[in-house]
Every structure is written in C-alpha cells, then in structure tokens.
Amino acid sequence: MKIARCFGVNDYPGTGSDLSGCLSDVANWAELLRNRGYNVATRKNAFATGSNYLSALEEMVEKCNKAGHSRMVLQNSSHGTYVTDNDGDEADGRDEALYLRGRHSLVTDDEIYSRLKLLRADSLAVLICDSCFSGTMHRGRPAVMKSRFILCPKHKRKINSDSSMFQKTADLPNVALLSACAEGETAADAYISGRYNGAFSYYACGYLRANQTADFKSFRRGIGSLLPNRKYSQTPQVLFHAQISEVEVL
C-alpha cells in the first residue's frame, strides 16, 4: 500500500504573513505522488489545520500497520515556528513546530515523533517539510521572496536556533525527512519560472521527475547540487537511517 497526504497554507488571516507558493507545492507533490502510484488526498488553507495534520498522520500509521510492507508520505508547505519546550528534551528550551490553520494550528516535533514511533518496522514513512523554524536570516525583495517563518504569538522575542525540526526521527530506522533548509536558515517562498513555489519543493520535485529511481543517498547528493544556489541560500536536509539509504525516495 502507498498512501500520501499533502498539506499547504498560503492564507494566514489577520497576521499580515500570507504566503504565495504553498498551494503550488501541494499540486506539484500530489501530481508526482499520484504518478508513483500513491493514494493522495490534499488539505489546503482553512482545511489544513493542525488537528487534520495529526489525524492524517495517525490514519496513515494505522493503515500501514494493518496492511504491512507499506509506504506513507506526509507533505507540508506552510510557515514554521517554535514554542516553549515543556518536557525538557530540547537544549534551547523550545520545540520546533509547523504553523498551520485552525484552533489548534501548531504541530510540534514531539507530537509528530510520538505518532511516527508507532509505525511497524516493515513500513516506511517519508516526511516532506517546506517550512523553517528559526527566522534568523530574513531575505530581501518581499514581494518576490518571503521567508516561511512566523513568530508564534506566545513568544515575545526571537532566539537563535541550535536544533532542527524532527531531529528525533534519527532514532527511527523506518522514517526519512526531506526538509527545506538547515537550522538557522529560512525556506524561501519564491517566484520561479513564472509561478510562486517553495524553492525546495520546486527543485526537489524537478529532480525526482528526472530521476525516477533515486534512492535517499542519491537524492541527498542531487538536491545538494541544486540548492543552495545563486538565488536561494538554503541548504536542504535529507535525514534517514543508514539501513534505508538505498531505498527509493518515493
């Protein structure tokens, strides 16, 4: 079984921090995944809530556990942020979080990890994240290129990042993370080839279309040859356990 859920948020009412390329990312990833045989559903803007994201994650883990030998992909393009760490597992005193929509808009790395660790060992999960979590490097030309970071209202000041989103997934041998940028960087919401896209999603989808059988190790090399570049200084992160290094990405 191959199942995927794609989330994207451009519209952040009342914040002044709307994005432009997240729905394009959803369309690109959804098309790529369908062409690879995945059962895909998408959630956009008001339907891309934190609650729906976690529900989708739980649903996919449950289905994969019942079927066995399955693959699941959870893709998200949105703002990222950080919140206070309540369990003392973060050296910088905060948890990284996706900033989605709805009453429960924030999804922390702890919440994602607690669900992923339930996935049975014979299945594989790939998380695709085109967001950023530090806000420490702001970019120019805001009408053309924005940072996918928004400060959580609970925080009054920005602090430097010394941890990365989903770092705990390194403990899970059947989980891989494709992330838009390194710690301390921002993910560009960019205008490329006449259309708004996330810079990471644009280059990642292009590489995977051209390299149908790319494994995680070759994808990391390939995306590293495309980003950073002259226009976009972000450095994508491709994190995976050694035992799945030669497994196809999608």
Side-chain angles (χ1 to χ4, degrees):
M1 184 180 67
K2 300 170 78 173
I3 185 171
R5 300 291 180 260
C6 300
F7 284 70
V9 182
N10 279 345
D11 185 20
Y12 287 86
T15 67
S17 298
D18 287 352
L19 296 170
S20 300
C22 296
L23 301 193
S24 295
D25 294 348
V26 168
N28 289 338
W29 283 111
E31 178 185 28
L32 182 65
L33 289 160
R34 288 189 180 105
N35 289 340
R36 300 286 181 92
Y38 283 81
N39 178 319
V40 182
T42 63
R43 299 289 183 268
K44 306 173 187 177
N45 285 330
F47 298 99
T49 66
S51 297
N52 284 344
Y53 183 95
L54 290 175
S55 293
L57 178 54
E58 291 167 359
E59 170 212 4
M60 288 194 293
V61 168
E62 182 179 358
K63 288 184 175 181
C64 288
N65 285 347
K66 286 182 178 178
H69 300 284
S70 299
R71 296 195 58 141
M72 55 175 278
V73 176
L74 183 55
Q75 178 268 330
N76 179 72
S77 290
S78 70
H79 276 303
T81 190
Y82 50 73
V83 296
T84 301
D85 171 32
N86 291 320
D87 59 9
D89 67 338
E90 298 286 356
D92 62 356
R94 73 181 194 205
D95 283 314
E96 284 69 33
L98 303 177
Y99 203 126
L100 296 164
R101 287 282 302 272
R103 182 178 179 183
H104 302 290
S105 58
L106 301 180
V107 178
T108 69
D109 50 358
D110 286 341
E111 290 175 305
I112 292 168
Y113 176 81
S114 69
R115 290 156 174 81
L116 282 174
K117 70 180 183 180
L118 302 177
L119 183 66
R120 54 188 276 179
D122 62 3
S123 292
L124 175 66
V126 178
L127 271 65
I128 302 170
C129 183
D130 202 333
S131 304
C132 54
F133 308 97
S134 68
T136 57
M137 294 174 59
H138 287 283
R139 308 287 284 275
R141 296 186 296 144
V144 177
M145 182 166 49
K146 291 184 178 180
S147 158
R148 290 186 175 182
F149 173 85
I150 187 171
L151 187 64
C152 179
K154 296 179 181 179
H155 287 264
K156 302 300 184 183
R157 65 185 178 90
K158 298 175 184 178
I159 55 179
N160 290 331
S161 173
D162 64 2
S163 62
S164 59
M165 184 64 166
F166 310 140
Q167 189 63 45
K168 299 183 192 68
T169 60
D171 299 334
L172 302 175
N174 58 340
V175 175
L177 170 67
L178 317 183
S179 185
C181 59
E183 54 192 350
E185 296 179 346
T186 57
D189 193 56
Y191 191 73
I192 308 174
S193 300
R195 185 184 187 190
Y196 285 99
N197 299 266
F200 169 71
S201 290
Y202 176 85
Y203 287 106
C205 287
Y207 180 84
L208 290 169
R209 289 190 198 100
N211 298 271
Q212 294 279 329
T213 60
D215 58 31
F216 288 105
K217 185 164 56 177
S218 61
F219 175 73
R220 182 160 60 186
R221 289 196 303 268
I223 193 65
S225 71
L226 300 170
L227 286 171
N229 60 34
R230 183 172 57 86
K231 289 186 176 180
Y232 309 109
S233 61
Q234 67 198 70
T235 308
Q237 304 297 292
V238 184
L239 308 177
F240 53 84
H241 196 274
Q243 74 179 37
I244 62 169
S245 63
E246 297 181 359
V247 174
E248 288 184 12
V249 176
L250 297 177

